[in-house]
Amino acid sequence: MSKTYVPADLRRLVFERAQDSCEYCLIPAALALAAHQMDHIIAEKHGGETVSENLALSCALCNLAKGSDIASIDPETNDTAKLYHPRRDQWSSHFQFEAQTGLIQPLSAIARATIRLLPINRPESLTERVILFRVGRLVIPAD
């Protein structure tokens, strides 16, 4: 976890851009037990800066699981794949939301590696996403 101070105006921008939802698992901050966090998409130890283009809103569980990782293993090919980058990658090119089950399905190696590493499809999130979708409160990233 970063120890760098993120100015209030930059934090506000990140929350607004993400519509107050984790940019990885889509769970809104209002439903999380722990406060959502600023994720350095490229960790500071890899040269990532504390700038809008390198920050994503992340729930505590996704941020803890991601840590400073920028890649993981694609479980389908066993090759190394970079993780989903919310500022550079288009969500719909890599993921598909299933409204009936709440699952976020991978469409690419990037998505498979990201879902493998982060707890995106934990059972509690599936039910939350189904309910949020039904009441029109689930934010699916627009590309």
Side-chain angles (χ1 to χ4, degrees):
M1 177 183 291
S2 171
K3 295 179 180 170
T4 299
Y5 173 74
V6 179
D9 60 335
L10 185 53
R11 295 178 62 81
R12 193 170 19 261
L13 182 148
V14 172
F15 269 83
E16 288 174 3
R17 181 177 57 204
Q19 299 183 56
D20 295 331
S21 296
C22 175
E23 296 189 65
Y24 298 106
C25 73
L26 310 180
I27 297 300
L31 294 182
L33 295 176
H36 278 27
Q37 303 172 350
M38 294 291 115
D39 170 47
H40 282 80
I41 301 166
I42 305 297
E44 292 173 290
K45 77 177 190 181
H46 297 301
E49 298 179 45
T50 305
V51 295
S52 170
E53 298 78 20
N54 191 43
L55 293 174
L57 186 61
S58 176
C59 71
L61 294 174
C62 285
N63 200 25
L64 181 64
K66 180 178 172 288
S68 62
D69 292 332
I70 55 175
S72 187
I73 302 299
D74 174 356
E76 189 172 298
T77 64
N78 287 322
D79 291 332
T80 302
K82 71 176 194 140
L83 297 179
Y84 172 67
H85 189 302
R87 302 285 76 77
R88 295 182 187 158
D89 298 324
Q90 291 187 331
W91 194 89
S92 63
S93 296
H94 299 284
F95 302 100
Q96 182 173 23
F97 173 67
E98 289 185 358
Q100 298 297 319
T101 63
L103 276 170
I104 295 176
Q105 294 287 359
L107 301 175
S108 67
I110 287 172
R112 289 189 298 270
T114 302
I115 288 174
R116 180 183 180 273
L117 187 66
L118 279 58
I120 289 174
N121 284 323
R122 61 188 177 274
E124 305 81 25
S125 296
L126 303 182
T127 303
E128 290 173 355
R129 284 195 291 259
V130 167
I131 293 169
L132 290 167
F133 183 76
R134 287 181 182 161
V135 299
R137 301 288 311 264
L138 185 68
V139 177
I140 307 291
D143 297 327

